[in-house]
Amino acid sequence: MKYNTYLFDFDGTLVDSMPAYIAVMLRILDENNIGYENDIIKIITPLGYLGAAKYYIQQLGIGMTEDKLIETMNQYAYNEYAHNIQAKPNVIETLKKLKEQGADLYVLTASPHSVLDVCLKRLGMFDLFTFIWSCDDFGTTKADPEIYKMAAEKIGKPIEDILFLDDNYNADKTAASVNMKVCGVYDRSSEEYTEEIKRISDHYIYDFSELLDL
């Protein structure tokens, strides 16, 4: 096994949640008659709910407070994460095999614990991870190179010994910029960026079972 320390994204990487996430984020813009570019999801996905709220206010001019935006995001998203969203194919089986081989598994996601924890517990995945972090725990976003350094410090391993897995181009690029090893993950929501992600990643997988061959 080439790697023994894995840092996983959550949405679009471990779970098939991007359609629900996208629906929530665009619903808020549509309800407030706010126009947006085609790459809006690529931009806001690494930011977390707070970062997305700031972007909506500062860049798109939505007339809501940060607190109200975050409350609305959580309200719209909770039911999907608590009841409907499923793990992506072969994720649970692969994580269990990595654990059996002695790997340390961690999560770093833009999603808040309010939806993250309930989803992972329902799917029986929560206890597979040594630590599960939301960007909220670091007070910054996955668009900030420092978050990967802080995660590596908490893990207690050299940053270049950690494999970060994410379906988002911006997150992968930022992690790579601080010498963290990167594995791009295929997701339908980011399919148009597949080649871009491959160019800046050390590895790329279409199915989680491929992790066992790295």
Side-chain angles (χ1 to χ4, degrees):
M1 185 168 62
K2 185 175 181 180
Y3 301 98
N4 63 10
T5 307
Y6 297 79
L7 182 61
F8 297 96
D9 170 50
F10 174 61
D11 293 287
T13 297
L14 296 176
V15 296
D16 190 16
S17 58
M18 287 307 295
Y21 173 84
I22 291 168
V24 165
M25 292 303 182
L26 297 187
R27 176 182 174 184
I28 293 170
L29 295 177
D30 292 339
E31 287 178 347
N32 288 273
N33 298 311
I34 301 295
Y36 47 85
E37 299 296 329
N38 291 335
D39 63 350
I40 182 66
I41 297 302
K42 177 183 178 182
I43 292 171
I44 67 170
T45 295
L47 301 182
Y49 284 19
L50 176 58
K54 290 179 182 293
Y55 187 88
Y56 278 13
I57 294 168
Q58 297 171 6
Q59 302 298 323
L60 302 182
I62 196 169
M64 297 172 70
T65 65
E66 286 181 13
D67 288 345
K68 183 59 179 177
L69 273 169
I70 294 169
E71 178 187 343
T72 304
M73 291 171 186
N74 276 306
Q75 176 188 339
Y76 288 174
Y78 181 82
N79 185 65
E80 290 296 320
Y81 284 90
H83 302 290
N84 299 326
I85 288 168
Q86 298 297 316
K88 293 181 73 174
N90 295 313
V91 164
I92 297 175
E93 299 88 342
T94 300
L95 293 177
K96 288 181 177 179
K97 288 178 181 177
L98 289 173
K99 286 287 287 185
E100 289 170 1
Q101 294 173 8
D104 288 325
L105 312 180
Y106 301 83
V107 172
L108 175 62
T109 175
S111 285
H113 285 289
S114 57
V115 297
L116 167 65
D117 294 358
V118 69
C119 187
L120 288 176
K121 288 176 181 177
R122 174 175 58 83
L123 295 172
M125 298 167 61
F126 190 88
D127 292 334
L128 294 173
F129 300 101
T130 304
F131 283 104
I132 295 169
W133 293 304
S134 166
C135 289
D136 298 340
D137 299 321
F138 294 93
T140 188
T141 76
K142 286 161 71 177
D144 178 4
E146 292 302 314
I147 199 170
Y148 304 95
K149 297 178 183 178
M150 290 188 285
E153 185 175 348
K154 286 182 176 292
I155 291 170
K157 299 282 183 67
I159 198 165
E160 62 271 15
D161 291 347
I162 300 169
L163 183 64
F164 174 68
L165 298 96
D166 203 308
D167 62 299
N168 181 268
Y169 170 77
N170 287 336
D172 286 332
K173 183 179 180 180
T174 307
S177 74
V178 293
N179 295 320
M180 187 171 276
K181 297 298 183 183
V182 171
C183 180
V185 179
Y186 173 81
D187 190 71
R188 291 186 305 275
S189 67
S190 57
E191 186 171 24
E192 64 184 295
Y193 306 112
T194 296
E195 294 306 316
E196 293 179 59
I197 295 172
K198 285 181 178 180
R199 280 195 292 271
I200 53 89
S201 299
D202 299 282
H203 311 280
Y204 189 90
I205 58 172
Y206 287 90
D207 185 277
F208 236 71
S209 61
E210 296 174 55
L211 261 187
L212 301 172
D213 296 324
L214 295 187

